[in-house]
Each structure stands twice: as structure tokens, then as C-alpha cells.
Amino acid sequence: MTARQERMGWLALGFGRRMAGSDMVVMWRNEDESLTISHRHGYDHTEPQVVEEPLRTAFLPMLQPTVWDSKLNPANTLAFSIPLDKSQWVYKPEKNGTFEPLIWAYGMTRPASPDPHTTIYGHYAAGMLLLNLEKDLPGTPPEGSINDTTMSRPSQDASEERLPYTTHELIVLGHGFLVAIGMLVLLPAGALVARWTRTCTDRWFKLHQLLNYMIALPVILVGWLLGPFAVFEARASHFRDAHQISGVLILVIYLLQLSLGRYIHARRGRPNRATHAPSNIFHVCLGLVVIGAGFSQVHSGMNKWEEHTGKELSHWCHILWKVWIIALPVLYLLGLSLLKRQFYQESHGLNPSSAPKHYVALSPDEGHRSMLFNADIDLDSLPDYGYPNNTANGLTKEAETAVPLLRRN
């Protein structure tokens, strides 16, 4: 057994499909580098009880095998030998193999004493595996010898049957799938809609709100809640690593982002409000931070899935993540080319999201005549009828259009 986390307290291997009702062997390395073996039996999701006279007694092999991965700490590899119990074998004629279900657990806190009766603290991670003990290991060494490859590294032929997902693993998969859809699909889609369509239609905000708020919020909340539920279901500790802590922080920032968007929309159209208030700019920056953090969090979750379950995700998941993390910034940066058009529309009152419907701005201010006004007569030669707007600027503003500006009842 090898703990892939650096803080290794104890390792356990049990014989069964679940903790309750299974005999197990718990091992840990003491401060003096000695090893302790403790035989225990699980009755519930509590600390396994010590078994004074186990049916099978585990013992330390003559030589401890070296770690199978040079990147891992050699001190985190522990091994024991135990007689085979053929009464627990389950023969499957259709597979022509004999399978042994095993459970494993890993704790980060080392017991306080070498005594096998010492209290062990709750596990950090746990899982199940199925071994096919009828297959031959390639290059099996002579009896009594130690071979690092065959004794420490699992053989691909050790189990040809793909294990069905446990309830815990299905919860974790649901957590990862929903959060990935929300963070990597819905939120980026909402950001691209805001960037690319705001100069073309006044409906961009409704679509932006639909994606980032009405759809993404329930998807992300349900997916996020499945994370703590999976930890609780496994009787593991909460907020023990960067992935769990980052998940809470990202959710808080996302909710803050939504609240800021609602605040900005509520104040939209008020007099004397700047077109690009600091809250608007902060809203954009905060949204980009949430999406970037979501990419990092999803990648961390994929690594933790493979680390804690021993099952690899489909290769296309990693490829899709790599392609999307490059394509999305490129699409957004290309959308920034529309900023010039956006600023021009806003300064001339032509922006679809701010100008009233059926309104055409003929003159943005008193000092500039609109390019839409085309007069082929000299305004200075017009007679003065004493009206306050009978000036060049006034006539520019009140140019006739196909739609009457005033209607008499």
C-alpha cells in the first residue's frame, strides 16, 4: 500500500465490500521507523475495534518493497503478508475468474503510540477495489525474492473486470459533472453573449441573465452541495485540502458576482449615472475571475477523482479541458474588438441596450450636428419666427422624420 498524499498517518486494507462487517489490517509507521500492524473489525462508521484473535494473522514480510513511483515518498509505502482465505472467494463461471473484494482507507494523522490498541483517527479517504487472484503476474519472481515491479505496482492483468460505480462514486461524478457544466459551459457562454451581442441587440442582457443566473445558479448550487454530501457520506473530514476550501471561496465569489449584477441592473437608467461606473468594471473583472477559478477547480477535481478512486477519466475529458481553456480566452479577446463600436454607440445614444425603441439621435449635443441630418439649404437664411428653437442646433434636433414626434388627439 502506498499513500499518495504526503501526510501519511495510517493505511488500512479490509476484506469485504463495505466497512461494516469487514475484517481489516491497519498499519502505520512510528517515529522510530518501526511498523505496527493492528487487526480490527468494522461494525459501523465508527473507529474499528481491535480483534485480539483474528482468523488470519497478518505479519511483516522479510523485506518491505520500495515505492512503485519515484515521485512518491518511500516512507509512505507499507506492506504486510496474510494467508489466503479461500472461503471468501466468489467464483464466476462466465468470467472464469476468482475475485476478492477489498476496501481501503487512508488517514493523515499518525496514531500516538506503536501499540496496536492505540486509537486511530478518522480516515481522510476510502474506497473499494476488486482483485482477480486467478490471473498470473508477468515475470513472477522465485519464492522468497522481492521484485519492485511485480510486488508493488498493480498489474493491468490483475483485474480485467471494470468495477461498477459505488454510490459514493456516483455522487462524486454528479458533483463534478454539474459543477463543470455550470463553470465551464454556462458561465463562459453568458460572458461571450455579453461581449459579442451587446452592440447588436437589446436582448443580450436577457440571454446573459438567463445563462448566468436562471440556469447556472441552480446547476452550480446542486453540484456544489453534492460535494459536501459526498464527504459526509464517506464519513471523511471537511475542508481538509485546497480543493474543498477553494470550492467554498469560488461559490462565495460567484454569489457576490450575481448580487453585484442585480445591483447594477436595478440602478440602470437612473439620471446622472456614469455609463461605465466602477461597479460595472468590477462586475466584469469578477466574472472573469470566477470562470478562471472554475477551470482550475474542475482540473483539480479530475485529478482528485483519479487519485482517490484509482479510476482514470476518459482521455477526452482532459483534451476537452485543454482545448477549451485556450479557445475561450481567444474568443473573448476577439470580442474586445467591438469595444470601439460599443463606446461610439453609447456616446451617440445609439446603443441598443440604452436607447429607447424607435428613437434616432439626430444630434448628440448642442455643439455637434448629427451625420443623419442632411440639409441642402443655408440655415442662416431661414426667417426668425421668434421660436426658441429656431436656430441651427434647434432645427437639427427637430428634423422631420417619417414618424410624427407629436400626435394630436
Side-chain angles (χ1 to χ4, degrees):
M1 302 178 291
T2 299
R4 303 186 67 176
Q5 295 282 351
E6 183 55 35
R7 286 182 55 194
M8 194 272 288
W10 55 267
L11 298 175
L13 198 65
F15 305 94
R17 295 184 177 273
R18 57 186 59 87
M19 181 176 177
S22 296
D23 293 321
M24 58 193 70
V25 177
V26 183
M27 293 188 66
W28 63 86
R29 189 181 298 274
N30 301 298
E31 294 183 357
D32 59 358
E33 294 300 320
S34 62
L35 300 177
T36 296
I37 293 181
S38 177
H39 292 85
R40 308 220 174 192
H41 184 83
Y43 293 95
D44 200 351
H45 290 289
T46 56
E47 179 186 0
Q49 301 299 313
V50 176
V51 179
E52 299 294 345
E53 297 181 359
L55 296 177
R56 294 184 293 166
T57 302
F59 56 91
L60 295 175
M62 296 179 57
L63 295 175
Q64 286 285 320
T66 58
V67 64
W68 52 270
D69 190 341
S70 60
K71 298 179 181 179
L72 301 177
N73 186 354
N76 291 355
T77 295
L78 305 176
F80 65 89
S81 296
I82 193 170
L84 201 60
D85 182 11
K86 296 186 177 181
S87 65
Q88 294 188 8
W89 285 18
V90 179
Y91 184 71
K92 296 185 177 181
E94 67 277 8
K95 297 294 182 181
N96 192 26
T98 305
F99 298 88
E100 171 121 1
L102 300 173
I103 58 174
W104 60 269
Y106 154 70
M108 300 183 70
T109 304
R110 181 170 56 188
S113 168
D115 186 0
H117 297 78
T118 303
T119 299
I120 60 175
Y121 298 94
H123 58 71
Y124 172 76
M128 175 193 171
L129 59 118
L130 194 65
L131 293 183
N132 183 348
L133 301 179
E134 201 172 68
K135 297 294 182 179
D136 293 328
L137 292 175
T140 303
E143 184 177 356
S145 66
I146 296 294
N147 182 282
D148 294 344
T149 302
T150 59
M151 297 297 290
S152 339
R153 180 184 292 272
S155 170
Q156 294 181 354
D157 295 334
S159 176
E160 294 183 351
E161 178 178 310
R162 184 176 181 86
L163 285 177
Y165 292 116
T166 64
T167 302
H168 173 75
E169 291 174 345
L170 290 176
I171 296 174
V172 175
L173 282 176
H175 161 73
F177 176 78
L178 291 177
V179 172
I181 291 296
M183 288 288 180
L184 304 191
V185 177
L186 296 175
L187 295 187
L192 292 178
V193 164
R195 182 66 269 145
W196 279 91
T197 65
R198 67 189 305 149
T199 60
C200 304
T201 174
D202 58 347
R203 297 181 180 179
W204 72 268
F205 177 78
K206 292 183 179 179
L207 184 56
H208 175 73
Q209 184 184 44
L210 178 67
L211 290 169
N212 283 14
Y213 175 59
M214 298 181 181
I215 299 180
L217 179 60
V219 170
I220 291 176
L221 278 182
V222 173
W224 187 91
L225 290 173
L226 287 178
F229 181 75
V231 176
F232 175 80
E233 192 270 341
R235 300 297 192 272
S237 300
H238 295 273
F239 312 122
R240 290 293 299 269
D241 58 23
H243 181 79
Q244 296 176 358
I245 297 174
S246 298
V248 176
L249 294 178
I250 294 174
L251 179 65
V252 171
I253 297 175
Y254 169 60
L255 295 178
L256 177 62
Q257 163 78 352
L258 290 181
S259 302
L260 184 59
R262 301 289 294 177
Y263 167 80
I264 294 172
H265 185 66
R267 295 176 60 86
R268 176 175 173 266
R270 291 191 177 186
N272 301 324
R273 174 170 171 79
T275 305
H276 298 285
S279 57
N280 295 54
I281 300 175
F282 185 61
H283 178 72
V284 174
C285 296
L286 203 60
L288 297 178
V289 169
V290 171
I291 294 175
F295 270 94
S296 175
Q297 186 73 353
V298 170
H299 187 262
S300 170
M302 292 192 297
N303 291 336
K304 286 184 68 65
W305 165 264
E306 296 178 352
E307 177 180 325
H308 287 284
T309 66
K311 299 177 180 179
E312 294 185 359
L313 290 172
S314 298
H315 189 55
W316 65 265
C317 294
H318 296 275
I319 295 178
L320 190 61
W321 184 90
K322 293 177 181 179
V323 171
W324 189 227
I325 200 175
I326 297 175
L328 179 60
V330 171
L331 291 174
Y332 190 84
L333 291 175
L334 290 176
L336 294 179
S337 61
L338 297 174
L339 279 176
K340 184 177 180 180
R341 178 181 180 182
Q342 176 187 339
F343 294 156
Y344 177 82
Q345 290 180 346
E346 292 171 347
S347 63
H348 289 72
L350 300 174
N351 192 278
S353 60
S354 60
K357 198 172 183 180
H358 307 308
Y359 172 77
V360 177
L362 297 181
S363 180
D365 53 53
E366 294 292 335
H368 297 82
R369 293 179 56 192
S370 171
M371 66 178 64
L372 300 178
F373 182 73
N374 183 16
D376 18 356
I377 61 173
D378 188 1
L379 295 176
D380 295 334
S381 63
L382 293 176
D384 186 359
Y385 295 103
Y387 294 106
N389 283 337
N390 193 20
T391 61
N393 289 331
L395 289 173
T396 303
K397 285 181 171 295
E398 296 184 359
E400 291 187 5
T401 63
V403 180
L405 303 181
L406 298 177
R407 174 178 299 174
R408 292 183 179 180
N409 295 325

